[in-house]
Amino acid sequence: MRAALIVRPGEPPSLADRDEPVPTDGEVVVDVLAAPLTPLDLLCATGTSYFGVPATPYVPGVQGVGTVDGRAAWFPSSAGMAPGDGSMAARASARREDLVFLPEGVDPVAIAALGLSAVAAHLALTWRGELAPGETVVVLGAGAVGQAAIQLARLAGAGRVVAAARSDAGRERARRAGADAVVGLDADFTEVAAGADLLLDPLFGAPAAAAAQALRPGGRWVNLGASAGEQCPITSSVLRSRSLRLSGYTNNELTARQRADAITTIARYSVEGSLAVDHEVVPFADVSDAWRRQADGVAGGRIVLVP
């Protein structure tokens, strides 16, 4: 079968012939309809993540959407994090217990674009961030996580959503996602979001330190990533003087049930038309170019590969 194949860590995959997957006990073969190309895929493939250097050659893709026995399903993969192939192929193996069957009318590409990014946004807001109706949320970044977070905060009952993004294009994405106010990452957050209840932060670094200044006493700050820097110049006095609650979030801590429930919620919102992120559809044949554009940060939204 045709598949994206990484031959050497740190190099983009190319289209190649790969043996059909042979499922082990508890696994099924999924006919892949859509596989998103995510930052985690790139990170794992470099061999510099805390998962270590992946065994090559392997098919990347930490998640995908396909069909099993004629039913649409979302599925995860440990490709790049453990030996084995992932979702960027015509067919992939997945553990049956990890499958999340999707509702009728679902767009597999739209769900693939949302995927684990929307899971992170949803659970960071509700489970870790304890968002309550009427509260003000500050969302940093307008990638897939940020776009989903703006919409999901609204769906969870937030009273006001303030979004911040680095580029003009990012700020436009945030506006289209429904933010009440949109600013640059260098904004004075105490002017636009004073008294905010919750900070959703996939960036860390200087932008998070600035945004935290706007949190009310007892405000919550949930960090999901560090794309703006591994170090954050926040002072102890800021944290202590207002008793701020700083929490970390990772999808890796989720139970299979939590993840499945989140995907089901996201799929329902997607079918209803209330949740979507910018994405572009790319055939598997163009995976090398798509991988480079993702790495260079010039993709037009989340790239979703299709057979």
Side-chain angles (χ1 to χ4, degrees), residues 8 17 19 24 44 49-50 71 119-121 129 138 141 205 236 250 256 260 264 297:
R8 283 178 290 276
D17 288 319
D19 291 341
T24 60
C44 290
S49 77
Y50 59 80
R71 298 176 62 193
V119 168
V138 177
S236 173
T250 172
T264 299

Side-chain angles (χ1 to χ4, degrees), residues 108-128:
V109 170
I111 295 300
L114 288 162
L116 290 170
S117 293
V119 168
H122 173 57
L123 290 176
L125 285 166
T126 58
W127 175 50
R128 183 67 77 227

Side-chain angles (χ1 to χ4, degrees), residues 185-239:
L185 293 179
D186 57 353
D188 184 346
F189 287 89
T190 60
E191 291 184 356
V192 295
D197 302 281
L198 175 61
L199 169 60
L200 194 82
D201 165 33
L203 305 184
F204 213 51
Q213 304 288 333
L215 288 171
R216 64 164 173 81
R220 289 103 60 203
W221 171 4
V222 182
N223 174 257
L224 298 82
S227 59
E230 284 289 342
Q231 304 295 322
C232 181
I234 193 77
T235 63
S236 173
S237 60
V238 170
L239 293 173

Side-chain angles (χ1 to χ4, degrees), residues 68-113:
V68 177
D69 298 327
R71 298 176 62 193
W74 176 91
F75 66 97
S77 158
S78 58
M81 297 173 274
D85 288 340
S87 62
M88 296 181 190
R91 283 168 291 282
S93 293
R95 296 196 307 170
R96 182 176 290 277
E97 65 184 29
D98 286 338
L99 297 177
V100 182
F101 287 101
L102 302 171
E104 292 291 330
V106 73
D107 178 350
V109 170
I111 295 300

